[in-house]
Amino acid sequence: MTDTRTTRPLPNEFVEATRDIPFYRENAAANSFPIITKSELAETFPDSFMTPQVQTALESGAAQYVWSTGTNHARMPLIRPPLFLLKTYYAVWRDHPEIGETFAAGVPRVSVTTRLATDHVTRISEAKGGAPADIARRWLDDRTVYVNQELDPATWSSAAVDRMIAEIGAVSAENGGGRYHLDCSSYHAAYLFQAAGDRFPQPVSAIHGYEFTPRNVRSFLAERLDCPVVELFGSTELGYLYYGDTQGRYHPHLVDMEVELQPIPGSRGIHSLVVSSIRNPFMPLLRYNTGDCVHTGDGSADPRQIVRFCGRDKELLVTDTAITSQAELDDVIADISARVFVYQLRVDGSQSELAYTTFDGAALDRSSADALAAAATRLTGSMVTVAHRTHIPIGKSGKYAWLVR
């Protein structure tokens, strides 16, 4: 939805960092850069980023090929330094004013997130030997271990829950002096807390940052975890750009970066997030449309006014009367009932069904369900009916799709 034809100059450090890269050579010479997209990058990759320095780095192991993560959008091939994303995570954790002390104290990081992430760690740790299920294979480095091995947290067996709780306890006791930092997909952490109850080991700090987190899910975690719970926003290709605080406010962490916002015409103040970054020396991304959407506090295109990340550009619901982001529907749901857990809007022409689960498993009362259907209809411009479910399957990536068309 962003006009990629508009060009503009960038500061000198961005120009100099890309002058010798084939993909940018002409733009750098003129200091006139258009907005670029994942598909445009992929068309000529890797030749368009192959310089003698990059070739040497690939041969020495200082750079590596990876793929961006994909939930319900296209994945993109990348060249980046090893552990690039993890190092930016650690930088934010270290600098965060509310949880930085846990980084400085060296507490271990336990990741309760997608099976895809765990599988990635076991693959890159193959040289350690043993079976992929072994915990030794699930340590990413000397302070980060991944515990989830199942696709859908809603169907975790009691044995899987027992194993994860035991592993968290052991890591905390053996590596953290009884303390650990929880890194999580918010949904996975909520499911594990529900399944484990009082057995869930309390972390000393927690970060969720793998996907959009509904207000109800964040509230569920914040109310039950006796520690600061904060959010990170970033991506595989860029690293982490913003961090949240315990009040839900966002703060920039834009080392070697510049951010701009592009309004989405016809929306209720939604902007596309466009990032210029030279943080990755092997594949700088200048005026890169991340595919993420934001709202600002004053409705302007001032990135200093960002108040929330409201979903993905390709996951906006467009009808004859409205353009709706996940965050806008999420507001409607949270305002009507804090009991809604997972939800999914399935659109069929001018009709839609909003399926939902609840934290307690019981359906909403008729009054709340009717209010939700009416509010969602007004918001989206689609005729919405509401249906209670006991289970909404997770996507093959281990993340939920809020919108199915």
Side-chain angles (χ1 to χ4, degrees):
M1 292 186 180
T2 303
D3 184 356
T4 61
R5 295 167 296 178
T6 305
T7 63
R8 75 172 182 86
L10 289 172
N12 185 63
E13 59 266 30
F14 293 91
V15 177
E16 292 304 317
T18 56
R19 192 178 295 281
D20 297 327
I21 297 174
F23 185 85
Y24 294 110
R25 191 172 288 137
E26 293 183 7
N27 301 118
N31 193 5
S32 180
F33 294 87
I35 294 173
I36 60 174
T37 63
K38 282 187 176 182
S39 58
E40 291 168 335
L41 288 164
E43 284 176 3
T44 56
F45 183 88
D47 293 346
S48 54
F49 283 87
M50 198 57 62
T51 64
Q53 292 80 7
V54 171
Q55 185 65 52
T56 299
L58 287 167
E59 292 169 357
S60 70
Q64 61 184 189
Y65 287 107
V66 299
W67 287 84
S68 68
T69 53
T71 309
N72 305 293
H73 53 88
R75 300 174 73 208
M76 181 175 77
L78 303 165
I79 300 171
R80 70 176 193 186
L83 301 180
F84 172 77
L85 184 61
L86 181 71
K87 289 176 180 178
T88 71
Y89 181 108
Y90 284 170
V92 179
W93 179 10
R94 179 195 63 221
D95 296 342
H96 196 291
E98 294 173 296
I99 64 174
E101 64 174 314
T102 64
F103 181 89
V107 302
R109 169 179 172 247
V110 177
S111 285
V112 181
T113 182
T114 67
R115 186 183 71 185
L116 198 67
T118 304
D119 289 347
H120 172 71
V121 173
T122 64
R123 282 195 302 272
I124 65 176
S125 301
E126 187 174 4
K128 296 178 181 178
D134 294 345
I135 193 169
R137 285 276 296 274
R138 290 184 274 115
W139 282 92
L140 180 58
D141 63 359
D142 59 0
R143 74 183 298 168
T144 297
V145 64
Y146 288 70
V147 297
N148 176 40
Q149 295 179 303
E150 308 294 335
L151 175 63
D152 192 339
T155 61
W156 276 332
S157 66
S158 58
V161 171
D162 290 346
R163 176 189 56 77
M164 287 186 283
I165 294 302
E167 288 180 350
I168 294 172
V171 167
S172 172
E174 296 169 12
N175 300 77
R179 304 199 297 169
Y180 80 100
H181 170 81
L182 175 64
D183 164 70
C184 63
S185 154
S186 54
Y187 289 108
H188 286 72
Y191 273 118
L192 187 57
F193 195 99
Q194 281 192 312
D198 292 341
R199 295 185 298 143
F200 190 96
Q202 285 290 339
V204 290
S205 59
I207 283 177
H208 59 92
Y210 286 84
E211 58 190 313
F212 178 90
T213 293
R215 283 169 50 188
N216 286 349
V217 178
R218 175 174 169 80
S219 296
F220 178 89
L221 293 177
E223 291 167 3
R224 287 159 178 79
L225 298 179
D226 187 22
C227 71
V229 179
V230 300
E231 181 177 3
L232 296 191
F233 173 82
S235 66
T236 309
E237 56 268 33
L238 294 166
Y240 287 98
L241 287 73
Y242 288 84
Y243 64 84
D245 59 27
T246 52
Q247 304 304 310
R249 297 176 298 237
Y250 289 97
H251 307 270
H253 199 271
L254 301 172
V255 178
D256 295 325
M257 289 183 171
E258 184 178 280
V259 167
E260 59 186 288
L261 303 183
Q262 293 289 324
I264 295 179
S267 71
R268 290 168 288 241
I270 303 172
H271 293 76
S272 292
L273 182 69
V274 176
V275 177
S276 294
S277 173
I278 54 175
R279 186 182 285 178
N280 173 359
F282 306 121
M283 194 173 174
L285 296 172
L286 302 194
R287 303 200 73 206
Y288 168 63
N289 185 350
T290 65
D292 296 293
C293 299
V294 304
H295 279 128
T296 55
D298 59 2
S300 73
D302 184 351
R304 294 172 299 180
Q305 297 295 322
I306 291 174
V307 292
R308 68 173 174 185
F309 298 88
C310 56
R312 300 281 304 174
D313 187 308
K314 290 186 177 180
E315 295 170 21
L316 295 175
L317 173 60
V318 180
T319 65
D320 292 338
T321 61
I323 297 175
T324 303
S325 67
Q326 180 176 1
E328 291 168 300
L329 179 63
D330 188 66
D331 283 342
V332 165
I333 293 169
D335 287 344
I336 290 173
S337 177
R339 292 175 49 225
V340 175
F341 184 10
V342 182
Y343 55 84
Q344 186 173 83
L345 186 70
R346 186 173 294 272
V347 179
D348 183 8
S350 62
Q351 308 288 318
S352 299
E353 180 187 79
L354 178 60
Y356 71 92
T357 70
T358 58
F359 291 103
D360 60 17
L364 299 179
D365 60 62
R366 176 55 63 88
S367 175
S368 296
D370 289 347
L372 181 53
T377 295
R378 289 192 299 270
L379 176 75
T380 65
S382 178
M383 185 59 65
V384 179
T385 58
V386 171
H388 175 246
R389 299 280 187 269
T390 57
H391 178 232
I392 293 176
I394 205 163
K396 62 181 180 180
S397 66
K399 298 182 181 181
Y400 286 101
W402 80 275
L403 180 64
V404 178
R405 289 176 280 211

